[in-house]
Amino acid sequence: MDIQKKTRDELIKELQKLRQKYNSLKSIYGKDTVRHHQAAQELIIANKELVFQNDEKEKRAAELIIANKELVFQNDEKEKRAAELVIAKEHAEQSDRLKSAFLANMSHEIRTPMNGVLGFASILKEADLSGEEQQEYIKLMEQSGVRMLNIINDIVDISKIESGLMDVHLKESNINKQIDYIYTFFKPEMDRKRMQFFFKKSLPAKEAIIHTDREKIYTILTNLVKNAIKYSDEGTIEFGYNLKTENQTTVLEFFVRDTGIGIPKNRQEAIFERFIQSDITDKIARQGAGLGLSISKAFVELLGGKIWVSSEEGKGSTFYFTIPYLRQPVKSVNSITILSE
Ligand code: ADP
């Protein structure tokens, strides 16, 4: 009986202990579960935050890559711009030097014939000159006057070209007659130099009538023949034209060939620029302002053609230029004016 009672009491106690333990365990485990749950929630939020931050970082990195590319591009542009500025500066300096050289050369070109005119005029005042001497001095005065007029005409032409005021007047012109005229004009000078002078007209009279600016063709040919004579001391000068077809357009290709001093390879492009002479040391000996070829180039281009030279030092030069072979009047070509005769 005692044993049974004791066992029952003990069992009740143990049960109470177990209940307490269960409660404490429940309270412990119950709280931890809540904590775990909270921690898990926090972790999920933190993870989402991290993912978001990561996305942001990637976006930022992509933006930085684009910004970097932009900077590299801007840098390249700046370097290009800097290189262009260096070139522009060099051009400005060269143009400045050319202008100074041009002024010096121009004052020489104007002063020399002016001195000629004044000098011979004062000699002519002397009473004891023979008629022959007087004629000789008057001729020299005329030559000086012509030389001065030529230089002034060149200056006027180049300023008109530079300011875009040079007009083109297309009208019926006989190319063969121009060749004849230039030949007759320069023949006496060629005879004086004891040089041979030839011309070539490739078209019969009827087909040689085209629509072009006669004065400009005349100026170009005169400049080229004058140079051929100026830069040759012996041999032959031949000039004229051939009919050619270029990219399905028919052109007249003019040429002026001499057996003169020739032009160094590295100067063959520069001579078409204003104020440039192929050999600066030669310029006093062979008078000229370095304008003739740049005027000729501008005229050829206004007429829709091109100009170039083929030359070998010591052997001679051939200057070529083309103009369109226009048999019919052209209605409108940019700033070109069409005149009827
Ligand atoms: P310039 O008044 O000096 O003759 P141009 O513009 O007509 O001016 O010619 C420029 C330069 O080209 C000349 O100074 C000369 O050095 C060179 N040149 C032109 N034509 C010839 C030629 N037929 N033979 C050799 N050099 C030439």
Side-chain angles (χ1 to χ4, degrees):
M1 171 76 179
D2 278 349
I3 295 164
Q4 272 185 351
K5 198 176 176 252
K6 192 187 167 195
T7 314
R8 192 174 155 266
D9 287 346
E10 277 175 3
L11 278 172
I12 287 168
K13 265 186 197 163
E14 263 174 41
L15 189 65
Q16 278 171 342
K17 265 190 203 165
L18 274 171
R19 236 181 228 148
Q20 274 171 358
K21 209 173 183 176
Y22 169 76
N23 280 338
S24 74
L25 277 171
K26 187 186 160 200
S27 69
I28 290 166
Y29 286 120
K31 271 181 200 162
D32 274 359
T33 311
V34 171
R35 263 192 227 128
H36 278 144
H37 184 69
Q38 269 177 354
Q41 288 291 337
E42 278 166 18
L43 272 174
I44 288 169
I45 292 168
N47 195 37
K48 276 187 186 160
E49 181 70 17
L50 273 174
V51 168
F52 176 74
Q53 282 180 8
N54 210 28
D55 282 357
E56 282 297 297
K57 268 188 196 144
E58 275 177 14
K59 240 193 264 171
R60 192 86 196 96
E63 280 168 9
L64 279 173
I65 289 172
I66 292 170
N68 194 36
K69 277 188 185 158
E70 181 71 14
L71 275 174
V72 169
F73 176 74
Q74 281 180 6
N75 211 26
D76 283 358
E77 283 294 299
K78 270 191 194 139
E79 275 176 14
K80 242 193 261 170
R81 189 89 196 94
E84 279 169 10
L85 280 174
V86 169
I87 293 170
K89 184 173 164 270
E90 278 167 8
H91 275 174
E93 282 171 359
Q94 197 205 15
S95 148
D96 213 40
R97 278 197 302 276
L98 278 178
K99 273 188 192 135
S100 310
F102 166 68
L103 281 178
N105 194 17
M106 210 50 79
S107 50
H108 167 84
E109 285 299 316
I110 293 174
R111 219 183 301 132
T112 312
M114 195 67 208
N115 281 336
V117 172
L118 295 175
F120 292 121
S122 89
I123 296 176
L124 274 172
K125 281 192 283 189
E126 288 171 19
D128 54 349
L129 288 176
S130 69
E132 225 171 79
E133 282 172 327
Q134 281 180 357
Q135 285 308 313
E136 178 62 22
Y137 292 139
I138 290 169
K139 204 172 101 195
L140 289 169
M141 273 175 80
E142 271 173 358
Q143 280 173 4
S144 297
V146 168
R147 186 173 156 189
M148 223 163 101
L149 192 63
N150 284 342
I151 190 91
I152 289 165
N153 284 340
D154 278 358
I155 295 172
V156 171
D157 278 351
I158 206 86
S159 5
K160 274 194 188 169
I161 291 165
E162 301 235 324
S163 55
L165 293 173
M166 182 57 77
D167 288 328
V168 176
H169 303 293
L170 296 184
K171 55 187 171 190
E172 258 191 10
S173 319
N174 188 326
I175 295 297
N176 284 356
K177 271 195 190 163
Q178 288 208 315
I179 300 284
D180 290 338
Y181 185 79
I182 288 169
Y183 180 82
T184 315
F185 185 84
F186 286 107
K187 181 79 172 98
E189 199 174 341
M190 288 295 285
D191 287 344
R192 273 197 300 277
K193 281 191 118 176
R194 296 178 190 284
M195 287 178 66
Q196 286 184 299
F197 198 30
F198 301 115
F199 61 81
K200 182 177 179 189
K201 299 184 279 192
S202 292
L203 291 172
K206 259 192 185 171
E207 289 168 38
I209 296 168
I210 61 161
H211 283 84
T212 192
D213 188 322
R214 185 192 305 162
E215 275 70 36
K216 293 205 171 40
I217 299 281
Y218 175 73
T219 306
I220 303 162
L221 276 174
T222 305
N223 279 343
L224 296 182
V225 174
K226 223 196 279 181
N227 276 347
I229 300 175
K230 185 157 75 169
Y231 297 103
S232 311
D233 295 322
E234 55 185 10
T236 309
I237 291 173
E238 188 185 359
F239 75 107
Y241 67 86
N242 288 301
L243 197 66
K244 293 248 163 128
T245 303
E246 273 181 359
N247 308 324
Q248 289 166 340
T249 31
T250 312
V251 295
L252 287 178
E253 186 184 276
F254 288 85
F255 67 90
V256 179
R257 183 172 303 123
D258 67 55
T259 48
I261 59 172
I263 301 159
K265 280 266 170 300
N266 62 351
R267 303 294 291 162
Q268 289 180 9
E269 252 182 65
I271 51 167
F272 291 101
E273 284 170 31
R274 292 168 296 152
F275 319 137
I276 293 210
Q277 299 180 314
S278 77
D279 172 15
I280 208 80
T281 55
D282 195 44
K283 78 177 185 201
I284 305 297
R286 319 225 177 194
Q287 48 177 269
L291 288 177
L293 286 180
S294 51
I295 292 172
S296 304
K297 181 171 188 269
F299 282 4
V300 169
E301 285 169 2
L302 276 172
L303 294 176
K306 53 184 199 264
I307 187 166
W308 70 100
V309 66
S310 155
S311 178
E312 208 178 314
E313 266 188 286
K315 291 208 168 155
S317 316
T318 308
F319 282 83
Y320 298 93
F321 70 93
T322 57
I323 56 159
Y325 181 59
L326 301 173
R327 301 296 313 277
Q328 303 299 324
V330 189
K331 284 282 170 283
S332 70
V333 186
N334 296 334
S335 64
I336 292 178
T337 319
I338 298 135
L339 298 182
S340 52
E341 286 214 81

